[in-house]
Every structure is written in C-alpha cells, then in structure tokens.
Amino acid sequence: MKKSLLFVFTALVSFGVTDIARSEGDQKAPRKIDWSFDGVLGTVDKQSAQRGFQIYKEVCSACHSLNRIAFRNLSDLGFSEAEVSALASTYQITDGPNDNGEMFQRPGKAADSFVPPYPNENAARAVNHGAAPLDLSLIIKARHDGANYVYSLLTGFSAPPAGVKLVDGQYYNPYIAGQRLAMPPPLSDNRVTYADGTPATLDQEARDVVNFLQWTSEPEMEARKQMGLKVMIYLGIFTAFMFIAKRNLWRKLH
C-alpha cells in the first residue's frame, strides 16, 4: 500500500502539478498583452510570427511537435517557395514501403508535415520522466486565455518564494496550476540570434513565439475574420434594402 502511494505521488510530481493544486486554482492570472490578432479585425503579425518560427525551430522543436502544420503552410507567413523547399529538405522523412516492402528515409518535401522530435509517445515519455511534451499546434486554443497564458508562462519563471519547496527537476512558475513544472525555462535574453536583427530579449522572444503559435492554432483566422466582415456588411446593406422595400410596399397599400 505504501509503495502504491509513493508511486502515485512521484507520478504527480513528474508532471509538475498535483490534483490538490489544480483544485485550489492557485496559479496567478495571466498578464494581459495587446495582440495584433485580437478583435474582429485582428491580423497576424507575420514578421513576429516568422521570428517565432525561428525560436520554435531552434529551441522548442527539440521537445515539442507541431503535427498539424506542413512545411508549405509557412508560405502564409511570407516565406518564399524556395525557402520552404530548402527548409523541408533539411529533414529526413520516413516513407514507403518501396518495391521491396521496406520503409526508407528521404529528404522532406513542402507537402510533408513537421517531423516530431520523438518516434512515438512512449519514446517521448522515456526521456522526459514519464511526461510526454505537448504538441504545440493548438496550444493557444487549448488553454483559457491562451495567448496571454503562454506568454506569461514563458516569462514567468523565477526563484520560488519563501515556503515553496521544489524537488530535483522542478521549476517555479506562478502562472501554472501548482506553481511547479518539470520544464526548465526555455527562453532567455539572447537565446537566439534573430535573422532580421531584432534584439532578442525575453519579452520579444515570448511575444514572437505566441504570435507563431496563434497562427498554428488558427491559420485561417484572417480569412475567417475578413469573410465575417464581408457577411456583416452584406447583411447590413440587405437589411437596409428590405426596410426601404417594406416601407414603399406598405405606403402603396395604404
């Protein structure tokens, strides 16, 4: 019985949070940031999202997959066809079977999805203390107030306050339930060197990652909002036309 309880406790710690902490809701409310994609006329900051992709590629992709995005989708962020093809070709894709019934490796193509860092979930768990890193494709939509939450989490790592104890492999972050997690701080000042020369402060890196992950969560956002605006304009004109037609019709009947 004691061994079972110890196993359960260890498993909870490995995830960086306990059920009690979740029920208490002791995490700090996310910081509120003004994002270009907020509101009915919101748009993607493509320059920022491109920098966010650079961070994902150089930092986040070591642990986190991006299963719902294909290389060719990056053209929506302003990458050229040649850039997309060149990027895809740096990855090895498992394909097949060939004529001999064997799987084989080939250079990636623009139509291929991003290659995950681990061959399967069990492999991911084996090297991460039993907790498989999340796929980031929909992380902004999967969390309440997702953009602000992810930004706050990325910038919220700090030394624990008095009275908060951490075990080996835990890090303090007030923006997650339980205020402890197993992921070390992924970002820091000058963690990357931006291709466009933008100063890589922690704040800038976090904003860029959020802009990129907002796009991966909803690549069709701009088209959807533009269509919604067109529909509302159409309905407004149609309503005005029908109101005038109704007035003229009833005037004749009287």
Side-chain angles (χ1 to χ4, degrees):
M1 181 64 177
K2 290 183 178 180
K3 289 183 178 180
S4 297
L5 290 175
L6 179 61
F7 173 80
V8 171
F9 176 77
T10 303
L12 289 171
V13 169
S14 71
F15 278 89
V17 66
T18 67
D19 289 334
I20 294 176
R22 287 182 183 276
S23 64
E24 290 175 350
D26 58 353
Q27 69 267 35
K28 188 176 180 180
R31 295 173 56 190
K32 298 299 182 183
I33 306 297
D34 291 328
W35 301 104
S36 65
F37 49 77
D38 285 338
V40 296
L41 299 179
T43 59
V44 176
D45 184 340
K46 294 183 178 180
Q47 287 297 111
S48 177
Q50 285 188 18
R51 293 193 297 268
F53 167 67
Q54 181 181 344
I55 294 175
Y56 169 77
K57 183 175 181 293
E58 296 182 15
V59 180
C60 309
S61 64
C63 297
H64 295 278
S65 57
L66 206 64
N67 293 331
R68 294 178 177 269
I69 300 297
F71 295 111
R72 64 185 176 192
N73 296 138
L74 292 174
S75 61
D76 295 340
L77 293 181
F79 289 96
S80 68
E81 183 176 337
E83 289 174 324
V84 171
S85 296
L87 171 67
S89 67
T90 63
Y91 292 83
Q92 288 296 306
I93 306 296
T94 301
D95 204 346
N98 58 19
D99 293 340
N100 296 322
E102 300 172 341
M103 304 301 288
F104 60 91
Q105 296 287 306
R106 62 166 175 79
K109 301 176 182 178
D112 292 318
S113 296
F114 275 84
V115 180
Y118 307 104
N120 52 64
E121 185 173 335
N122 287 345
R125 292 183 182 279
V127 297
N128 288 281
H129 308 290
L134 296 173
D135 178 80
L136 296 183
S137 303
L138 300 175
I139 190 64
I140 300 298
K141 293 299 181 184
R143 296 292 184 269
H144 174 68
D145 198 13
N148 290 322
Y149 169 78
V150 172
Y151 171 86
S152 299
L153 185 68
L154 291 173
T155 59
F157 289 89
S158 63
V164 175
K165 303 295 184 182
L166 301 178
V167 301
D168 289 342
Q170 281 190 334
Y171 300 86
Y172 178 76
N173 194 308
Y175 294 101
I176 193 169
Q179 302 182 343
R180 302 166 178 84
L181 73 167
M183 180 180 73
L187 304 180
S188 60
D189 290 342
N190 301 311
R191 181 64 190 271
V192 299
T193 300
Y194 281 132
D196 63 2
T198 299
T201 63
L202 172 60
D203 172 76
Q204 186 66 59
E205 292 170 358
R207 289 174 183 266
D208 293 339
V209 168
V210 169
N211 274 306
F212 174 66
L213 294 179
Q214 162 63 28
W215 171 76
T216 67
S217 292
E218 197 175 9
E220 76 289 349
M221 181 199 71
E222 287 187 345
R224 175 178 58 79
K225 289 184 175 181
Q226 291 171 4
M227 178 59 70
L229 180 61
K230 292 177 182 178
V231 169
M232 294 304 296
I233 293 174
Y234 170 80
L235 290 176
I237 295 174
F238 181 77
T239 300
F241 174 78
M242 293 302 296
F243 177 76
I244 294 172
K246 173 181 174 296
R247 291 287 298 272
N248 289 335
L249 177 61
W250 283 101
R251 184 181 298 114
K252 292 177 182 179
L253 292 177
H254 283 106

PDB file of all heavy atoms in Angstrom, residues 112-143:
ATOM      1  N   ASP A 112       5.114  17.786 -46.780  1.00  0.00           N
ATOM      2  CA  ASP A 112       5.256  16.981 -45.568  1.00  0.00           C
ATOM      3  C   ASP A 112       4.942  17.802 -44.322  1.00  0.00           C
ATOM      4  O   ASP A 112       5.147  19.020 -44.284  1.00  0.00           O
ATOM      5  CB  ASP A 112       6.676  16.433 -45.444  1.00  0.00           C
ATOM      6  CG  ASP A 112       6.990  15.405 -46.504  1.00  0.00           C
ATOM      7  OD1 ASP A 112       6.121  14.562 -46.783  1.00  0.00           O
ATOM      8  OD2 ASP A 112       8.117  15.442 -47.052  1.00  0.00           O
ATOM      9  N   SER A 113       4.461  17.111 -43.294  1.00  0.00           N
ATOM     10  CA  SER A 113       4.250  17.751 -42.002  1.00  0.00           C
ATOM     11  C   SER A 113       5.572  17.842 -41.251  1.00  0.00           C
ATOM     12  O   SER A 113       6.539  17.141 -41.572  1.00  0.00           O
ATOM     13  CB  SER A 113       3.240  16.943 -41.176  1.00  0.00           C
ATOM     14  OG  SER A 113       1.971  16.926 -41.794  1.00  0.00           O
ATOM     15  N   PHE A 114       5.610  18.727 -40.267  1.00  0.00           N
ATOM     16  CA  PHE A 114       6.814  18.862 -39.452  1.00  0.00           C
ATOM     17  C   PHE A 114       7.155  17.528 -38.797  1.00  0.00           C
ATOM     18  O   PHE A 114       6.263  16.798 -38.347  1.00  0.00           O
ATOM     19  CB  PHE A 114       6.614  19.924 -38.388  1.00  0.00           C
ATOM     20  CG  PHE A 114       6.893  21.320 -38.877  1.00  0.00           C
ATOM     21  CD1 PHE A 114       5.919  22.036 -39.544  1.00  0.00           C
ATOM     22  CD2 PHE A 114       8.137  21.894 -38.686  1.00  0.00           C
ATOM     23  CE1 PHE A 114       6.168  23.311 -40.002  1.00  0.00           C
ATOM     24  CE2 PHE A 114       8.400  23.175 -39.142  1.00  0.00           C
ATOM     25  CZ  PHE A 114       7.410  23.887 -39.805  1.00  0.00           C
ATOM     26  N   VAL A 115       8.438  17.237 -38.727  1.00  0.00           N
ATOM     27  CA  VAL A 115       8.899  15.973 -38.167  1.00  0.00           C
ATOM     28  C   VAL A 115       8.922  16.087 -36.644  1.00  0.00           C
ATOM     29  O   VAL A 115       9.540  16.997 -36.091  1.00  0.00           O
ATOM     30  CB  VAL A 115      10.305  15.628 -38.678  1.00  0.00           C
ATOM     31  CG1 VAL A 115      10.783  14.307 -38.088  1.00  0.00           C
ATOM     32  CG2 VAL A 115      10.304  15.564 -40.208  1.00  0.00           C
ATOM     33  N   PRO A 116       8.247  15.178 -35.933  1.00  0.00           N
ATOM     34  CA  PRO A 116       8.242  15.238 -34.464  1.00  0.00           C
ATOM     35  C   PRO A 116       9.611  14.890 -33.906  1.00  0.00           C
ATOM     36  O   PRO A 116      10.396  14.175 -34.546  1.00  0.00           O
ATOM     37  CB  PRO A 116       7.187  14.200 -34.074  1.00  0.00           C
ATOM     38  CG  PRO A 116       7.156  13.246 -35.216  1.00  0.00           C
ATOM     39  CD  PRO A 116       7.423  14.062 -36.446  1.00  0.00           C
ATOM     40  N   PRO A 117       9.922  15.358 -32.697  1.00  0.00           N
ATOM     41  CA  PRO A 117      11.247  15.100 -32.116  1.00  0.00           C
ATOM     42  C   PRO A 117      11.428  13.665 -31.638  1.00  0.00           C
ATOM     43  O   PRO A 117      12.562  13.220 -31.447  1.00  0.00           O
ATOM     44  CB  PRO A 117      11.313  16.079 -30.945  1.00  0.00           C
ATOM     45  CG  PRO A 117       9.879  16.320 -30.575  1.00  0.00           C
ATOM     46  CD  PRO A 117       9.119  16.263 -31.860  1.00  0.00           C
ATOM     47  N   TYR A 118      10.332  12.931 -31.436  1.00  0.00           N
ATOM     48  CA  TYR A 118      10.403  11.560 -30.949  1.00  0.00           C
ATOM     49  C   TYR A 118       9.628  10.647 -31.897  1.00  0.00           C
ATOM     50  O   TYR A 118       8.619  11.066 -32.481  1.00  0.00           O
ATOM     51  CB  TYR A 118       9.823  11.443 -29.541  1.00  0.00           C
ATOM     52  CG  TYR A 118      10.438  12.415 -28.555  1.00  0.00           C
ATOM     53  CD1 TYR A 118       9.733  13.556 -28.153  1.00  0.00           C
ATOM     54  CD2 TYR A 118      11.708  12.206 -28.038  1.00  0.00           C
ATOM     55  CE1 TYR A 118      10.292  14.467 -27.267  1.00  0.00           C
ATOM     56  CE2 TYR A 118      12.271  13.105 -27.147  1.00  0.00           C
ATOM     57  CZ  TYR A 118      11.561  14.235 -26.772  1.00  0.00           C
ATOM     58  OH  TYR A 118      12.119  15.134 -25.893  1.00  0.00           O
ATOM     59  N   PRO A 119      10.053   9.398 -32.050  1.00  0.00           N
ATOM     60  CA  PRO A 119       9.367   8.494 -32.980  1.00  0.00           C
ATOM     61  C   PRO A 119       7.961   8.110 -32.532  1.00  0.00           C
ATOM     62  O   PRO A 119       7.111   7.774 -33.353  1.00  0.00           O
ATOM     63  CB  PRO A 119      10.292   7.269 -33.034  1.00  0.00           C
ATOM     64  CG  PRO A 119      11.077   7.325 -31.754  1.00  0.00           C
ATOM     65  CD  PRO A 119      11.255   8.775 -31.466  1.00  0.00           C
ATOM     66  N   ASN A 120       7.690   8.142 -31.220  1.00  0.00           N
ATOM     67  CA  ASN A 120       6.370   7.812 -30.710  1.00  0.00           C
ATOM     68  C   ASN A 120       6.248   8.358 -29.285  1.00  0.00           C
ATOM     69  O   ASN A 120       7.215   8.853 -28.701  1.00  0.00           O
ATOM     70  CB  ASN A 120       6.132   6.294 -30.724  1.00  0.00           C
ATOM     71  CG  ASN A 120       7.254   5.530 -30.034  1.00  0.00           C
ATOM     72  OD1 ASN A 120       7.470   5.671 -28.830  1.00  0.00           O
ATOM     73  ND2 ASN A 120       7.983   4.723 -30.810  1.00  0.00           N
ATOM     74  N   GLU A 121       5.028   8.257 -28.734  1.00  0.00           N
ATOM     75  CA  GLU A 121       4.763   8.829 -27.416  1.00  0.00           C
ATOM     76  C   GLU A 121       5.551   8.134 -26.315  1.00  0.00           C
ATOM     77  O   GLU A 121       6.018   8.779 -25.366  1.00  0.00           O
ATOM     78  CB  GLU A 121       3.265   8.762 -27.102  1.00  0.00           C
ATOM     79  CG  GLU A 121       2.890   9.457 -25.799  1.00  0.00           C
ATOM     80  CD  GLU A 121       1.395   9.533 -25.586  1.00  0.00           C
ATOM     81  OE1 GLU A 121       0.649   9.491 -26.584  1.00  0.00           O
ATOM     82  OE2 GLU A 121       0.972   9.641 -24.413  1.00  0.00           O
ATOM     83  N   ASN A 122       5.700   6.818 -26.415  1.00  0.00           N
ATOM     84  CA  ASN A 122       6.459   6.095 -25.390  1.00  0.00           C
ATOM     85  C   ASN A 122       7.915   6.555 -25.343  1.00  0.00           C
ATOM     86  O   ASN A 122       8.510   6.668 -24.266  1.00  0.00           O
ATOM     87  CB  ASN A 122       6.382   4.592 -25.638  1.00  0.00           C
ATOM     88  CG  ASN A 122       5.029   4.014 -25.293  1.00  0.00           C
ATOM     89  OD1 ASN A 122       4.236   4.659 -24.609  1.00  0.00           O
ATOM     90  ND2 ASN A 122       4.748   2.814 -25.767  1.00  0.00           N
ATOM     91  N   ALA A 123       8.485   6.810 -26.512  1.00  0.00           N
ATOM     92  CA  ALA A 123       9.859   7.308 -26.553  1.00  0.00           C
ATOM     93  C   ALA A 123       9.956   8.688 -25.915  1.00  0.00           C
ATOM     94  O   ALA A 123      10.922   8.993 -25.208  1.00  0.00           O
ATOM     95  CB  ALA A 123      10.354   7.347 -27.998  1.00  0.00           C
ATOM     96  N   ALA A 124       8.929   9.513 -26.157  1.00  0.00           N
ATOM     97  CA  ALA A 124       8.911  10.849 -25.558  1.00  0.00           C
ATOM     98  C   ALA A 124       8.826  10.772 -24.040  1.00  0.00           C
ATOM     99  O   ALA A 124       9.511  11.507 -23.324  1.00  0.00           O
ATOM    100  CB  ALA A 124       7.725  11.646 -26.114  1.00  0.00           C
ATOM    101  N   ARG A 125       8.004   9.859 -23.554  1.00  0.00           N
ATOM    102  CA  ARG A 125       7.872   9.705 -22.099  1.00  0.00           C
ATOM    103  C   ARG A 125       9.163   9.175 -21.476  1.00  0.00           C
ATOM    104  O   ARG A 125       9.548   9.571 -20.372  1.00  0.00           O
ATOM    105  CB  ARG A 125       6.712   8.754 -21.780  1.00  0.00           C
ATOM    106  CG  ARG A 125       5.337   9.305 -22.128  1.00  0.00           C
ATOM    107  CD  ARG A 125       4.242   8.344 -21.718  1.00  0.00           C
ATOM    108  NE  ARG A 125       2.926   8.839 -22.099  1.00  0.00           N
ATOM    109  CZ  ARG A 125       2.231   9.736 -21.405  1.00  0.00           C
ATOM    110  NH1 ARG A 125       2.736  10.236 -20.282  1.00  0.00           N
ATOM    111  NH2 ARG A 125       1.045  10.132 -21.817  1.00  0.00           N
ATOM    112  N   ALA A 126       9.830   8.280 -22.187  1.00  0.00           N
ATOM    113  CA  ALA A 126      11.016   7.632 -21.635  1.00  0.00           C
ATOM    114  C   ALA A 126      12.132   8.622 -21.324  1.00  0.00           C
ATOM    115  O   ALA A 126      12.899   8.426 -20.380  1.00  0.00           O
ATOM    116  CB  ALA A 126      11.521   6.565 -22.607  1.00  0.00           C
ATOM    117  N   VAL A 127      12.231   9.690 -22.112  1.00  0.00           N
ATOM    118  CA  VAL A 127      13.321  10.652 -21.905  1.00  0.00           C
ATOM    119  C   VAL A 127      12.857  11.920 -21.197  1.00  0.00           C
ATOM    120  O   VAL A 127      13.630  12.859 -21.052  1.00  0.00           O
ATOM    121  CB  VAL A 127      13.981  11.021 -23.251  1.00  0.00           C
ATOM    122  CG1 VAL A 127      14.627   9.803 -23.879  1.00  0.00           C
ATOM    123  CG2 VAL A 127      12.976  11.651 -24.202  1.00  0.00           C
ATOM    124  N   ASN A 128      11.588  11.935 -20.752  1.00  0.00           N
ATOM    125  CA  ASN A 128      11.064  13.124 -20.075  1.00  0.00           C
ATOM    126  C   ASN A 128      10.381  12.760 -18.763  1.00  0.00           C
ATOM    127  O   ASN A 128       9.347  13.317 -18.403  1.00  0.00           O
ATOM    128  CB  ASN A 128      10.083  13.867 -20.992  1.00  0.00           C
ATOM    129  CG  ASN A 128      10.779  14.576 -22.132  1.00  0.00           C
ATOM    130  OD1 ASN A 128      11.349  15.643 -21.971  1.00  0.00           O
ATOM    131  ND2 ASN A 128      10.726  13.964 -23.313  1.00  0.00           N
ATOM    132  N   HIS A 129      10.959  11.813 -18.059  1.00  0.00           N
ATOM    133  CA  HIS A 129      10.497  11.436 -16.720  1.00  0.00           C
ATOM    134  C   HIS A 129       9.026  11.003 -16.711  1.00  0.00           C
ATOM    135  O   HIS A 129       8.292  11.271 -15.765  1.00  0.00           O
ATOM    136  CB  HIS A 129      10.706  12.589 -15.740  1.00  0.00           C
ATOM    137  CG  HIS A 129      12.109  13.137 -15.734  1.00  0.00           C
ATOM    138  ND1 HIS A 129      13.175  12.432 -15.224  1.00  0.00           N
ATOM    139  CD2 HIS A 129      12.609  14.310 -16.211  1.00  0.00           C
ATOM    140  CE1 HIS A 129      14.276  13.162 -15.361  1.00  0.00           C
ATOM    141  NE2 HIS A 129      13.973  14.292 -15.967  1.00  0.00           N
ATOM    142  N   GLY A 130       8.583  10.371 -17.789  1.00  0.00           N
ATOM    143  CA  GLY A 130       7.229   9.840 -17.843  1.00  0.00           C
ATOM    144  C   GLY A 130       6.183  10.784 -18.379  1.00  0.00           C
ATOM    145  O   GLY A 130       5.023  10.398 -18.540  1.00  0.00           O
ATOM    146  N   ALA A 131       6.545  12.041 -18.676  1.00  0.00           N
ATOM    147  CA  ALA A 131       5.580  13.022 -19.177  1.00  0.00           C
ATOM    148  C   ALA A 131       5.948  13.420 -20.596  1.00  0.00           C
ATOM    149  O   ALA A 131       6.995  14.035 -20.824  1.00  0.00           O
ATOM    150  CB  ALA A 131       5.552  14.252 -18.280  1.00  0.00           C
ATOM    151  N   ALA A 132       5.112  13.061 -21.562  1.00  0.00           N
ATOM    152  CA  ALA A 132       5.388  13.396 -22.954  1.00  0.00           C
ATOM    153  C   ALA A 132       5.133  14.883 -23.189  1.00  0.00           C
ATOM    154  O   ALA A 132       4.067  15.392 -22.832  1.00  0.00           O
ATOM    155  CB  ALA A 132       4.496  12.573 -23.878  1.00  0.00           C
ATOM    156  N   PRO A 133       6.084  15.616 -23.769  1.00  0.00           N
ATOM    157  CA  PRO A 133       5.871  17.032 -24.073  1.00  0.00           C
ATOM    158  C   PRO A 133       4.670  17.233 -24.998  1.00  0.00           C
ATOM    159  O   PRO A 133       4.413  16.419 -25.880  1.00  0.00           O
ATOM    160  CB  PRO A 133       7.176  17.452 -24.762  1.00  0.00           C
ATOM    161  CG  PRO A 133       8.190  16.475 -24.248  1.00  0.00           C
ATOM    162  CD  PRO A 133       7.448  15.185 -24.105  1.00  0.00           C
ATOM    163  N   LEU A 134       3.953  18.319 -24.800  1.00  0.00           N
ATOM    164  CA  LEU A 134       2.744  18.590 -25.562  1.00  0.00           C
ATOM    165  C   LEU A 134       3.049  18.920 -27.014  1.00  0.00           C
ATOM    166  O   LEU A 134       4.077  19.514 -27.327  1.00  0.00           O
ATOM    167  CB  LEU A 134       1.990  19.769 -24.947  1.00  0.00           C
ATOM    168  CG  LEU A 134       1.432  19.595 -23.539  1.00  0.00           C
ATOM    169  CD1 LEU A 134       0.880  20.933 -23.031  1.00  0.00           C
ATOM    170  CD2 LEU A 134       0.336  18.540 -23.524  1.00  0.00           C
ATOM    171  N   ASP A 135       2.136  18.544 -27.895  1.00  0.00           N
ATOM    172  CA  ASP A 135       2.164  19.059 -29.257  1.00  0.00           C
ATOM    173  C   ASP A 135       1.682  20.511 -29.194  1.00  0.00           C
ATOM    174  O   ASP A 135       0.690  20.816 -28.539  1.00  0.00           O
ATOM    175  CB  ASP A 135       1.248  18.236 -30.164  1.00  0.00           C
ATOM    176  CG  ASP A 135       1.225  18.772 -31.578  1.00  0.00           C
ATOM    177  OD1 ASP A 135       2.165  18.483 -32.349  1.00  0.00           O
ATOM    178  OD2 ASP A 135       0.273  19.507 -31.920  1.00  0.00           O
ATOM    179  N   LEU A 136       2.375  21.404 -29.880  1.00  0.00           N
ATOM    180  CA  LEU A 136       2.086  22.833 -29.755  1.00  0.00           C
ATOM    181  C   LEU A 136       1.153  23.377 -30.829  1.00  0.00           C
ATOM    182  O   LEU A 136       0.837  24.564 -30.820  1.00  0.00           O
ATOM    183  CB  LEU A 136       3.399  23.623 -29.782  1.00  0.00           C
ATOM    184  CG  LEU A 136       4.371  23.364 -28.624  1.00  0.00           C
ATOM    185  CD1 LEU A 136       5.595  24.268 -28.763  1.00  0.00           C
ATOM    186  CD2 LEU A 136       3.691  23.592 -27.279  1.00  0.00           C
ATOM    187  N   SER A 137       0.689  22.522 -31.732  1.00  0.00           N
ATOM    188  CA  SER A 137      -0.118  23.015 -32.847  1.00  0.00           C
ATOM    189  C   SER A 137      -1.318  23.838 -32.396  1.00  0.00           C
ATOM    190  O   SER A 137      -1.622  24.883 -32.973  1.00  0.00           O
ATOM    191  CB  SER A 137      -0.606  21.842 -33.701  1.00  0.00           C
ATOM    192  OG  SER A 137       0.455  21.058 -34.171  1.00  0.00           O
ATOM    193  N   LEU A 138      -2.017  23.362 -31.366  1.00  0.00           N
ATOM    194  CA  LEU A 138      -3.255  24.004 -30.935  1.00  0.00           C
ATOM    195  C   LEU A 138      -3.164  24.548 -29.506  1.00  0.00           C
ATOM    196  O   LEU A 138      -4.192  24.784 -28.880  1.00  0.00           O
ATOM    197  CB  LEU A 138      -4.417  23.003 -31.031  1.00  0.00           C
ATOM    198  CG  LEU A 138      -4.717  22.432 -32.414  1.00  0.00           C
ATOM    199  CD1 LEU A 138      -5.809  21.373 -32.323  1.00  0.00           C
ATOM    200  CD2 LEU A 138      -5.150  23.538 -33.377  1.00  0.00           C
ATOM    201  N   ILE A 139      -1.957  24.765 -29.011  1.00  0.00           N
ATOM    202  CA  ILE A 139      -1.792  25.110 -27.603  1.00  0.00           C
ATOM    203  C   ILE A 139      -2.496  26.420 -27.235  1.00  0.00           C
ATOM    204  O   ILE A 139      -3.042  26.564 -26.134  1.00  0.00           O
ATOM    205  CB  ILE A 139      -0.291  25.190 -27.233  1.00  0.00           C
ATOM    206  CG1 ILE A 139      -0.109  25.310 -25.721  1.00  0.00           C
ATOM    207  CG2 ILE A 139       0.389  26.316 -27.982  1.00  0.00           C
ATOM    208  CD1 ILE A 139      -0.587  24.125 -24.933  1.00  0.00           C
ATOM    209  N   ILE A 140      -2.534  27.385 -28.138  1.00  0.00           N
ATOM    210  CA  ILE A 140      -3.186  28.670 -27.826  1.00  0.00           C
ATOM    211  C   ILE A 140      -4.686  28.468 -27.670  1.00  0.00           C
ATOM    212  O   ILE A 140      -5.316  29.081 -26.794  1.00  0.00           O
ATOM    213  CB  ILE A 140      -2.898  29.709 -28.924  1.00  0.00           C
ATOM    214  CG1 ILE A 140      -1.392  29.962 -29.046  1.00  0.00           C
ATOM    215  CG2 ILE A 140      -3.624  31.016 -28.621  1.00  0.00           C
ATOM    216  CD1 ILE A 140      -0.746  30.537 -27.808  1.00  0.00           C
ATOM    217  N   LYS A 141      -5.284  27.619 -28.481  1.00  0.00           N
ATOM    218  CA  LYS A 141      -6.716  27.354 -28.384  1.00  0.00           C
ATOM    219  C   LYS A 141      -7.037  26.383 -27.260  1.00  0.00           C
ATOM    220  O   LYS A 141      -8.163  26.362 -26.760  1.00  0.00           O
ATOM    221  CB  LYS A 141      -7.233  26.775 -29.711  1.00  0.00           C
ATOM    222  CG  LYS A 141      -7.185  27.754 -30.873  1.00  0.00           C
ATOM    223  CD  LYS A 141      -8.044  28.965 -30.610  1.00  0.00           C
ATOM    224  CE  LYS A 141      -8.020  29.927 -31.791  1.00  0.00           C
ATOM    225  NZ  LYS A 141      -8.792  31.159 -31.508  1.00  0.00           N
ATOM    226  N   ALA A 142      -6.068  25.590 -26.862  1.00  0.00           N
ATOM    227  CA  ALA A 142      -6.318  24.557 -25.850  1.00  0.00           C
ATOM    228  C   ALA A 142      -6.279  25.097 -24.428  1.00  0.00           C
ATOM    229  O   ALA A 142      -6.670  24.399 -23.497  1.00  0.00           O
ATOM    230  CB  ALA A 142      -5.292  23.435 -25.993  1.00  0.00           C
ATOM    231  N   ARG A 143      -5.818  26.323 -24.248  1.00  0.00           N
ATOM    232  CA  ARG A 143      -5.715  26.914 -22.919  1.00  0.00           C
ATOM    233  C   ARG A 143      -6.612  28.138 -22.817  1.00  0.00           C
ATOM    234  O   ARG A 143      -6.716  28.913 -23.767  1.00  0.00           O
ATOM    235  CB  ARG A 143      -4.261  27.310 -22.610  1.00  0.00           C
ATOM    236  CG  ARG A 143      -3.303  26.139 -22.535  1.00  0.00           C
ATOM    237  CD  ARG A 143      -3.583  25.260 -21.325  1.00  0.00           C
ATOM    238  NE  ARG A 143      -2.609  24.186 -21.190  1.00  0.00           N
ATOM    239  CZ  ARG A 143      -2.752  22.986 -21.712  1.00  0.00           C
ATOM    240  NH1 ARG A 143      -3.831  22.702 -22.441  1.00  0.00           N
ATOM    241  NH2 ARG A 143      -1.826  22.055 -21.529  1.00  0.00           N
TER     242      ARG A 143
END
